[in-house]
Each structure stands twice: as C-alpha cells, then as structure tokens.
Amino acid sequence: MSADLTFARLRSAGAASLRTRTILPPTVALSFLVLLIVVLWSLVPGVFTSFSPVTGETAAKLAAPSAQHWFGTDYLGRDQYARVVHGTASSVTSALVAVIIGLVVGSAIGLASGFRGGWVDTTLGRFVDVLLAIPGFLLAVVIVSSLGFQTINAAIATGVSAVAVFARLMRAEVIRVRRAAFVEASYLQGGNRLQALLGHVLPNAYRPVLVLAVLQFGTSILVIASLAFLGYGDPPPASDWGLLVASGKTYPTAPWLVYAPALVIVATVLAVNRISRWLRSTR
Amino acid sequence: MTNTYGRFALVRTGQAVVVVLLAYILTFLVISVLPGDAITNSLRDPQHGLSEADIQRIVAYYGLDQPVLVQLVLSLGRFLTGQLGFSLQSNLPVAQLVGDALPSTLTLAFTAFVIALVFAVAIAYGAHYAPGRWAGVLRSIPSFFLSVPNFVIGLVLIELFAFRLHSFTTTDPNSAAATLFAAITLAIPVSAPLAEVLLASLDHESRQDYAQVARSRGLTEAALFARHLVKPSALPSVAMIALIVGELLGGSVITETIFGRDGIGTVVQKAVTGEDQPVLQAVVAISAVVFVAVNLAADLLTPLLDPRVKINETVDA
C-alpha cells in the first residue's frame, strides 16, 4: 500500500512522470494506430484504394470479399472498401464539427455561468435544463429535420444536442477553481475579471472538458452514423458509414456490405473511447 | 425535516413545469421558424389531395397566416389544455396516433429496461468478483457496448437469430421472440453506463470500513453483497434513471425502424420524412414531459432513499 503511494507521488512529480507517460499501454498504441489510419483515409483516400467509390463494374456486383475487393462489392459492383474509405472524410469531419460546436458553445455557457454566478447562472442554467429535457437523439432528429437532410446539418444537430453536457461540466469545473487562493491572489495583484478568467480559471478548468471532448467525438460518430442510417444525411452516392450500413442491409445475401462499414465504425469508436479513458487516467 | 423537504419538492416540481414549457417553446421555434413555411408548402403538395377550403381551415387552425409568436401562443395554449393537434399526413388526431403507438413502445422500452438492468448487474457483479483475467474482460464490456451503434446490434441479431437460427421472423415484429430481440438491441447501449456506475459504487462500497467489519464477523462475500452492498451500490444508479429513459426514448427510433415495429419511434420517423410538424412537436413534447417527470421523481426520491443526501445541496446543484 505504501509502496503504491510513493510510486504514485513519484509519477506526478516532474521528470519521472514524463518517463512513465511515454510508455503507452499496447491497447492505447493500437487505438492511436486505428485513428491514424482513419485520419489518413479521410485526408488522402486515393492513396488507399484505386477503385472509384461511385462507379463500379456491374458484372462483379455483390461479390464476396476477396484479395481484389477487400470488403466485397455492392449491388452496382462498386468496391465497398473504396466506398468506406471515401466516406471517411464526411463521417469523421462531421463528428469533429459536432464536437467543436458542443465544446465551444457549451464551454462558453459553462464558463459564463460558473464564473459570473447570480442571474447569469440561473438563466443559462435553465437554458441547459431545457436542452437536457429533450432526449438527446430526439433533439438531434428534430433539428436535422428542420435544417434539412444533409450531413453537415446532422453534424450541427449532433453538436447542439451535446452543448448541455459540455456546459454542465465546464460550469462545475469553473466553480471548483473560481474560489481557489491563486484566483483570489490574481485579484489582489490588481488583475481584472477577464485576466482572472483567461489567465487562471480557464487553464485550470479545461482539462476534464477536453477529455470529455474526446469521448464526445466517439459518441458523435455514433449519433451521426445513426442519423445517416435513418437517411438524414447526404443522399447516395455519398458513402457515409451509417448510410453504407443502411443500404447494405437490403442485401441479406451479401452481409459483408453491412459488416465491413459496421466494423470500421466500431473500431474507430472503440479506439476513441480507449484514448479518452487513457487520458482520464493519466491526468 | 418534512417542512424543508416539502419546500424542496415544491420548488423542484415548479422548476420541472417551467422546463417542460420552455422545452415546448424551444421545440416549436426549432420546428417552425427554421425551415420557413413548411406546413403550407407541404399542404399545397398535390399528393395530399386537399381542397382549397381544407387548406384554409388548417391554416386558420394553426394560425399560419399570423406571426410566429401568435402561432406559438395558439400551440402552447392547446398543449396546456391537452390538445395535440392533427397529423398533416393522415389528418388523424395526434393523440390517437400516439395512443395507438404507445403500447408497442412501452412494451419494448420496459422489456429493454429489465434486460439492461439484468445485464448491468451481471456485468458489475461479475467484474467485481471474477478472478484476474475475467475481471479485466468483464470490465471492458461496457466500453465495448458503448462503441457499437444500436443499428449494428439490431442488424447482427436479425441476421443471426432470424435468418440463420430462425428464432423469430421479421415479418411478425410484435411476436414475443421478436420483441425480446428488439429489446436486447435497445438494452445493450443502456446497460453500459448503468454497469459502469454500479461497478464503480460496488468497488467503492466494498472498500468501506463497514464492509471490512462485516467480513471480520465471518460473512462470506456473497452474504456481504446481498446484505450490505446491494443497497448503497444501487443508490447512485437511481440518479441515472433519467439518462436511461432518454436512451430508451431516443433509441426506440432506430430499433423500431430496424425491427419494423409500429411504435412512437416509427411515428417520429414518419413525421420527420413527411414534414409532419404537429406530430413531431407533440411527440417531442410528450417525451420531454416523460423525461422531466422521471428526472423529477429520481430527484425527489433520492433524499428519501438516502438519508446522507442533504436537501440544500440538491437545491443548489
């Protein structure tokens, strides 16, 4: 027990923490590898596949996975692997957009609410309560139906439905830090509110919020895939992962059309969640 | 004590009512302001086969020729008196559409809830007591469950149990077997956060002094679990009930679509694709009422179930 304690202290004490941190657990390293592939797929899809995601050879339709077509081919003979790779950019960027909306808007609300307190806190708090009163996925569905069926709108909808979570956490963190002695000290040194907020409160409150952002990235991929699955994203020939699963499910004789994109979604989200958990534990 | 609790209950209930009303207004604004004049556009769609007089009647009913604020007041007033309006697609009262769909969704949601509870308890108990490697495997299950999209779970279950093993048929989605598999689909993502919370509090409680004392009295781990650990470990999960209900309501859209069930989720989906605003508005409002009411019940119950919770803290939070 005491050995544990001293070791934990050592880890958080300067140089030693650097050394222990550079050794990644194998699952975390694997997760980073998965994410690297996903990022490369979205940036330079052409490097990973020579097949076109929109045109195929109808003669080779619904072919099972082979050395040539890793994920098989769909009902138009299009290479499913190429469709997945080319759909990555849209699937991943929209999740990123969603997280950024949630992070920026939610953090701003939480920051203002926790730092100012009083009527600002009450008003913003009620607004957050209202966002939380509508089940998240339902809220996203309503917003996307109102904005129109496009992937970018699905991303906005997912982002808005995540605002409340970020606002809650940021507010709690700011309230935790706000009363700390070093914040008081910055006022005593003649600092104004803005300096205290940006120089002392924010730097000490943002970490858990960033960890949440990573976790929320995984969740957003799932929500956006679900919206795309329901047909609320860009219509075909776009090949968002959720849409690929939806169009694949009409061909029960070609289950790879469902399983390949599904596996990609699961692997990506698992990787993101693993990294998020690792970030939380090495705080 | 009772006086403080009474005031707390009153304030919380008042807040809940305000939140529901604000949620209604927010939904109304999102649905009707953003796309412009969607109702009239969809009414003029020749597919509806509405006569000019019909359209005039509907326009007058919803106040569509008047400013949005007037429409909002009209709509809110009707909602408060329990009128939910009429579907633009089928002209049926929304209350009837929802009423017809409700039993199917309630059956699904309740079955899913029970399954999620069983899964969560099994995972938490297993992960806490299983030896070595198994504990690690069980501990990673919730994170895995949270990484698999609902629709993938549903499709895999259908592929495996309907097409391969013939445990149920997709043509009869309301049969007991089909309902069971739909409920499992819905239950898996719900069980994960529940299992995590149960496990965390089980880990925490079993390290407390009272647990050590009980062990020193010679209680076996099983007896300790049953007699002393279940109750305090279950308490934090009461606060999660709102999250669970939200997941069940939201997840039913996907699950019902995949399994071809006619429930609230299907109503939502049809309303979205058909731009049926009154139906969408009503379903969201009803969901918000259910959601907020469950949340309120959890908040009101917590101080009664756990005397350690101080009411003042909960009012501030």
Side-chain angles (χ1 to χ4, degrees), chain A residues 132-133 146 222 259 273 277, chain B residues 30 34 143 146-147 159 287 291:
Chain A
L132 285 173
S146 171
L222 288 183
Y259 290 141
N273 287 351
R277 264 216 320 249
Chain B
V30 169
L34 293 174
S143 151
L146 282 177
S147 306
E159 160 86 18
S287 307
F291 200 38

Side-chain angles (χ1 to χ4, degrees), chain A residues 60-65 69 71-75 77-80 254 256-257:
Chain A
K61 68 177 180 182
L62 297 177
H69 301 290
F71 294 171
T73 60
D74 71 359
Y75 69 107
R78 294 178 293 198
D79 182 62
Q80 183 76 348
W256 54 87
L257 291 178

Side-chain angles (χ1 to χ4, degrees), chain B residues 282-303:
Chain B
V283 174
V284 174
I286 294 169
S287 307
V289 170
V290 173
F291 200 38
V292 171
V294 170
N295 216 341
L296 177 69
D299 275 359
L300 294 184
L301 272 178
T302 310

Side-chain angles (χ1 to χ4, degrees), chain A residues 29-120:
Chain A
L30 187 68
S31 301
F32 274 113
L33 185 69
V34 169
L35 276 201
L36 180 72
I37 295 175
V38 166
V39 168
L40 287 177
W41 277 2
S42 54
L43 291 179
V44 281
V47 173
F48 290 88
T49 171
S50 53
F51 289 102
S52 158
V54 277
T55 54
E57 301 162 52
T58 29
K61 68 177 180 182
L62 297 177
S66 60
Q68 198 187 5
H69 301 290
W70 291 0
F71 294 171
T73 60
D74 71 359
Y75 69 107
L76 290 174
R78 294 178 293 198
D79 182 62
Q80 183 76 348
Y81 172 67
R83 307 253 310 139
V84 170
V85 170
H86 282 272
T88 307
S90 163
S91 309
V92 172
T93 336
S94 49
L96 210 56
V97 169
V99 171
I100 290 171
I101 291 174
L103 180 67
V104 171
V105 180
S107 300
I109 291 176
L111 211 54
S113 181
F115 193 65
R116 282 301 301 271
W119 67 270
V120 177

